[in-house]
Amino acid sequence: MLRSCTAGLRSIWALRGRREGAPRLSTDLQPARRLFSTEKVIHKDWALPNPSWSKDLKLLFDQFMKKCEDGSWERLPSYKRRSTQESEDFTTYFLDPKLGEEERLSQAQLFTRGFEDGLGFEYVIFKNNDEKRTVCLFQGGPYLQGVPGLLHGGAMATMIDIALGSCTGGAVMTANLNINFKRPVPLCSVVVINSQLDKLEGRKLFLSCNVRSVDEKTLYSEATGLFIKVDPEKRST
Ligand SMILES: CCCCC/C=C\C/C=C\C/C=C\C/C=C\CCCC(=O)SCCNC(=O)CCNC(=O)[C@H](O)C(C)(C)COP(=O)(O)OP(=O)(O)OC[C@H]1O[C@@H](n2cnc3c(N)ncnc32)[C@H](O)[C@@H]1OP(=O)(O)O
């Protein structure tokens, strides 16, 4: 497993070298502002295959894209940042215009999309609206290591949070997340997160998920989450 991870890293570096004008490693501390001056980066949909995707991830992606053809499933696009109504709901709810937050947040981006191809979170989420469930295909890259050779539990928790949140379809906040880590996840492997909405009670959404290996033989984690729809009448700050 470690050998394939190293090989993956080597190919990522090789690719980076080949791509003309490709940004250098984020550890070079390039100003984030420069990244965001490129409209292409802001509007790019990151939930699409790139050369770092393993055969397993590409295969599953293709299978789910096929399921999208009859409209029962949809692929959810993913951006570093976006200016949709949903984001506006969050901004109105949490940010105080008096504090000049907009300027401070001009460099903000979704942290799961802050890594270069293959190094961090590679994932795509498919949603089945009728069945109120999502499937997240996730490949955790070498920068997400915890115990040597294994995915950090916090990285897994992050993906679980996003996967559960993707089932809610609106402006929500995570109020509670409960995870049972049953088996360690090998770094650079692909896992499948199956999430579902179990119950809706006013503004409270109760969700659950499991995380399995591609062959479904290993159950890595099980989790439940409580998400609260933000109340536009309330401000939290
Ligand atoms: C997660 C994905 C979201 C996807 C959204 C989609 C699109 C958005 C567009 C762009 C964004 C893109 C991507 C987003 C990606 C990632 C998001 C990451 C998510 C997070 O990383 S998020 C940070 C961690 N999260 C917090 O930082 C929450 C801090 N917290 C609060 O901000 C408040 O606490 C809040 C708002 C949760 C509730 O506050 P509130 O004032 O609105 O409501 P209130 O307190 O009245 O609770 C109402 C009813 O919920 C019950 N209740 C509340 N909390 C409970 C708990 N813990 N356990 C059991 N029951 C609970 C009460 O008991 C009451 O129940 P009842 O009505 O029956 O009495």
Side-chain angles (χ1 to χ4, degrees):
M1 192 279 301
L2 272 177
R3 205 180 312 135
S4 74
C5 195
T6 317
L9 252 185
R10 234 185 277 124
S11 67
I12 289 160
W13 283 325
L15 274 167
R16 184 175 301 124
R18 277 207 302 276
R19 253 186 282 140
E20 205 182 325
R24 289 184 298 156
L25 269 180
S26 45
T27 46
D28 289 346
L29 298 176
Q30 291 223 34
R33 195 179 293 118
R34 206 178 304 161
L35 277 176
F36 285 122
S37 66
T38 320
E39 285 286 298
K40 229 163 68 184
V41 174
I42 297 171
H43 297 296
K44 181 178 164 182
D45 179 358
W46 294 86
L48 288 167
N50 68 53
S52 78
W53 283 28
S54 65
K55 221 163 78 179
D56 280 346
L57 186 53
K58 275 184 282 196
L59 206 71
L60 280 169
F61 176 84
D62 289 342
Q63 284 170 9
F64 273 93
M65 286 307 283
K66 275 237 152 345
K67 292 187 189 196
C68 292
E69 285 171 8
D70 67 4
S72 55
W73 288 82
E74 63 168 318
R75 182 187 66 84
L76 302 182
S78 174
Y79 305 98
K80 283 181 190 276
R81 59 200 302 219
R82 61 196 296 193
S83 53
T84 61
Q85 180 59 48
E86 288 158 336
S87 304
E88 275 167 32
D89 288 347
F90 280 108
T91 315
T92 317
Y93 186 71
F94 291 107
L95 305 184
D96 186 341
K98 288 194 288 275
L99 299 175
E101 298 271 40
E102 274 178 31
E103 174 151 4
R104 186 167 64 84
L105 296 181
S106 63
Q107 295 178 7
Q109 59 175 298
L110 188 61
F111 91 90
T112 49
R113 294 302 184 189
F115 296 80
E116 290 193 33
D117 286 359
L119 296 178
F121 298 85
E122 291 296 337
Y123 63 98
V124 54
I125 299 176
F126 292 91
K127 185 167 191 179
N128 187 313
N129 283 309
D130 289 345
E131 295 174 16
K132 295 183 173 46
R133 67 188 182 102
T134 61
V135 173
C136 172
L137 315 175
F138 168 46
Q139 175 183 298
Y143 281 19
L144 304 185
Q145 177 170 259
V147 171
L150 302 176
L151 184 75
H152 193 287
M156 193 68 251
T158 297
M159 274 322 301
I160 286 174
D161 187 29
I162 287 182
L164 290 175
S166 69
C167 256
T168 63
V172 292
M173 287 291 281
T174 316
N176 177 275
L177 197 56
N178 193 306
I179 304 174
N180 287 316
F181 295 101
K182 290 173 169 288
R183 291 281 176 273
V185 177
L187 202 60
C188 305
S189 68
V190 176
V191 300
V192 180
I193 308 173
N194 272 289
S195 308
Q196 64 186 48
L197 175 64
D198 296 324
K199 196 171 55 166
L200 180 62
E201 222 174 64
R203 291 198 291 132
K204 294 186 282 189
L205 295 103
F206 297 84
L207 297 117
S208 61
C209 74
N210 59 63
V211 184
R212 289 180 189 276
S213 54
V214 172
D215 64 10
E216 297 185 1
K217 285 184 181 152
T218 309
L219 175 61
Y220 291 119
S221 303
E222 286 179 315
T224 57
L226 169 64
F227 289 71
I228 312 287
K229 279 189 200 164
V230 297
D231 181 346
E233 300 301 310
K234 281 187 183 179
R235 284 192 63 90
S236 80
T237 52

